Amino acid sequence: MKAVLLDAAKRKRLQRMLKLQYGIDSRLPSTLVQSGEGKIRIATPEAYEAAELLRGVHSVGLYVVKVVDGTPVLSIEGTHLFCRDIRQNVVELSHEQSDAWMSASPVQLKTHTATKYVVARSGPDCLGCGRTSGSKAFPYVPRWRRIVSQSRFEAGGPQRKADSEDNYI
Amino acid sequence: MKRAFVDCMAKPRLSEELCEDLRLLLPNESEQLLECCSRPLRETIRVNTLKIDKDTLVSRLTKYGWVLSPVSWCDYGYWVERSSRDIGKTLEHALGYYYMQGAVSLVPVVVLGPQPGEKVLDICAAPGSKTTQMGQEMRNTGVIVANDSDLKRIRALSSNTQKCGLINCVITLVDGRRFPNWAANMFDRVLVDAPCTATGIIRKSWAAASNWTRRLARKISRLQRSLLLAGFDCLKTGGELVYATCSLSPEENEENVSELLQARPKAELLTLEVPGIHTRPGVAEWRGRRFDSSMAKTIRIYPHDNDAEGFFIAKVAKVK
């Protein structure tokens, strides 16, 4: 992977899109790296410099946002980083709804929403973005990160592929 | 001797060669060790302080009915004494607020002590337990180069660094032995958490123990030695390296460190002290071969000493 720094114009555009969609007006970190398919990652300056010198680079920094048809869709970590600054297009979830969200189950919204993407929040936790359709929100949770419910697990139902941490040590 | 084999062959069973080696290594304690290994490993979590503070997480998990007690050698590690559900299936886990990591597996990073702003290399990083632990020690500053040579394992590493929120990480997919070709003398600290025969964690997987052979240990030892030399060559002068395995075999541990000291005159073993954990010095001799006299500075952690995993850890400095 070739890590390419986001130039000033793209940076400004991203800042504007984040403000428009989620009301985020805090300054973006200094090192933003483009990594294909409209994905943008945040890195430390030292990480970017090191990546320039190394071979076989697979990724640099943290994936925070993907621009889809001109709309920024934040990753779970992206919403975590900007959690306090997100002011619009937010849905507040109960604890039960949060569990459902992280299982990638659609969540019923209280009202219809015109916007295409929303951020889910539950108390202090930001749970990433979801796509809306009518009065439902469909969470964007990567397959490897979903919570598989205990009952499904115990019943011998479909299980997620062994989590990477299962190999921990 | 025959009686010893009968004990070792009790289910779950160990290979005959491993059984012999463990008896040689711990003549008076091998039964204790095997008894400990027949019990399931106690669960531990590491609080990801990059995303949440310890007290907040403990209070949230306690509300679910969990009982946690601190790990005495790592201030962000907790034993899970009781949990109301599978510890890998909570909202907090999905959000990366904690990471499931063996209690003794926390020690190599504690010993390495990476500092904010430094350049650190984790040469065999997947699945990323120690990489993400270093990330929090470094407070997400500086850079961690996390390398592995297996694409499948890189995916796990990538998922875990993402989930833990690391912005200071560069993931590379190359054979770690080639690293000095482009990164010689580049890093302040290096972690060589080498692939091993995993005899220290047979409580997790008995397959390794029943298939263990001396030949396999020798084969893997050659790879470990090359990785250790490569890791050392990537260190700056004044930098520090930690070599760790979850194996108890001296071929994979003291022998490799001894070889490093012979091959690299700038390598100097440092004394290790880890408060709160029961450790023992490295062995001075194995099957007729005497190692470097400074080998007592390395540490061995046996499963039955702390009712946890078994590890070997050595810390080496690159001197002028």
Side-chain angles (χ1 to χ4, degrees), chain A residues 71-151:
Chain A
T71 309
V73 182
L74 292 162
S75 69
I76 297 174
E77 274 58 47
T79 58
H80 181 85
L81 281 175
F82 296 113
C83 204
R84 286 184 189 166
D85 304 313
I86 297 171
R87 296 176 209 290
Q88 62 197 47
N89 294 325
V90 180
V91 289
E92 290 290 342
L93 305 181
S94 66
H95 190 80
E96 290 69 33
Q97 283 177 315
S98 305
D99 271 353
W101 181 277
M102 292 308 290
S103 320
S105 305
V107 169
Q108 188 70 42
L109 304 176
K110 283 177 189 156
T111 52
H112 278 259
T113 173
T115 186
K116 205 170 173 186
Y117 298 101
V118 288
V119 167
R121 189 152 57 192
S122 173
D125 305 327
C126 276
L127 315 180
C129 279
R131 186 176 50 80
T132 59
S133 176
S135 59
K136 274 189 176 176
F138 297 85
Y140 283 166
V141 181
R143 199 172 287 274
W144 57 267
R145 200 162 178 174
R146 292 176 191 169
I147 301 175
V148 178
S149 74
Q150 193 91 341
S151 52

Side-chain angles (χ1 to χ4, degrees), chain B residues 18-294:
Chain B
L18 179 58
C19 225
E20 246 181 66
D21 276 14
L22 290 179
R23 284 178 196 286
L24 191 63
L25 201 58
L26 294 165
N28 304 317
E29 295 169 67
S30 52
E31 292 310 318
Q32 258 177 287
L33 171 74
L34 292 176
E35 189 277 323
C36 174
C37 291
S38 65
R39 283 183 272 127
L41 195 58
R42 291 192 290 164
E43 290 180 308
T44 17
I45 58 167
R46 164 170 58 82
V47 181
N48 179 13
T49 50
L50 289 178
K51 284 195 162 180
I52 194 165
D53 67 81
K54 286 185 297 180
D55 295 342
T56 310
L57 181 74
V58 170
S59 137
R60 281 176 69 151
L61 296 177
T62 308
K63 277 183 195 157
Y64 296 156
W66 289 33
V67 177
L68 302 169
S69 62
V71 170
S72 56
W73 52 87
C74 178
D75 62 0
Y76 42 75
Y78 289 87
W79 299 102
V80 182
E81 308 287 359
R82 199 180 68 213
S83 63
S84 52
R85 61 197 290 189
D86 186 326
I87 67 170
K89 292 183 169 56
T90 63
L91 177 66
E92 287 74 9
H93 181 255
L95 292 175
Y97 291 174
Y98 67 84
Y99 190 98
M100 292 150 60
Q101 184 171 354
V104 176
S105 145
L106 296 163
V107 178
V109 173
V110 171
V111 165
L112 183 66
Q115 300 297 310
E118 285 187 334
K119 276 186 187 167
V120 179
L121 170 64
D122 186 353
I123 205 163
C124 319
S129 311
K130 295 175 190 78
T131 308
T132 51
Q133 187 186 351
M134 289 197 284
Q136 70 184 77
E137 290 266 353
M138 294 166 71
R139 295 185 212 127
N140 237 345
T141 62
V143 57
I144 304 170
V145 176
N147 177 68
D148 209 276
S149 58
D150 182 324
L151 182 61
K152 270 189 193 162
R153 288 172 60 81
I154 281 279
R155 289 195 184 118
L157 171 65
S158 186
S159 305
N160 285 327
T161 55
Q162 175 73 23
K163 190 151 115 178
C164 290
L166 258 64
I167 66 165
N168 62 345
C169 189
V170 179
I171 296 178
T172 58
L173 171 62
V174 290
D175 184 336
R177 292 172 290 188
R178 292 173 53 215
F179 238 82
N181 293 345
W182 53 84
N185 308 308
M186 181 174 169
F187 296 95
D188 300 297
R189 290 174 207 264
V190 174
L191 177 66
V192 183
D193 180 26
C196 64
T197 57
T199 46
I201 53 162
I202 51 182
R203 294 169 81 169
K204 282 189 70 192
S205 165
W206 280 83
S210 44
N211 300 328
W212 192 93
T213 59
R214 263 178 226 121
R215 197 168 163 222
L216 176 68
R218 287 249 153 256
K219 189 179 165 193
I220 210 155
S221 168
R222 283 196 290 274
L223 170 66
Q224 290 164 337
R225 203 169 303 163
S226 311
L227 286 165
L228 178 54
L229 288 169
F232 184 80
D233 292 340
C234 291
L235 263 186
K236 286 177 186 170
T237 302
E240 292 176 346
L241 173 148
V242 164
Y243 174 73
T245 72
C246 55
S247 169
L248 303 177
S249 319
E251 292 95 332
E252 299 177 60
N253 299 319
E254 288 86 349
E255 200 171 304
N256 287 338
V257 176
S258 202
E259 292 279 346
L260 171 75
L261 297 179
Q262 279 180 12
R264 299 288 186 269
K266 285 183 174 181
E268 188 180 289
L269 262 181
L270 301 176
T271 305
L272 289 180
E273 274 174 32
V274 191
I277 189 167
H278 184 181
T279 65
R280 306 188 200 197
V283 297
E285 185 183 358
W286 181 247
R287 292 192 173 277
R289 194 182 158 192
R290 282 204 72 78
F291 301 128
D292 192 281
S293 56
S294 60

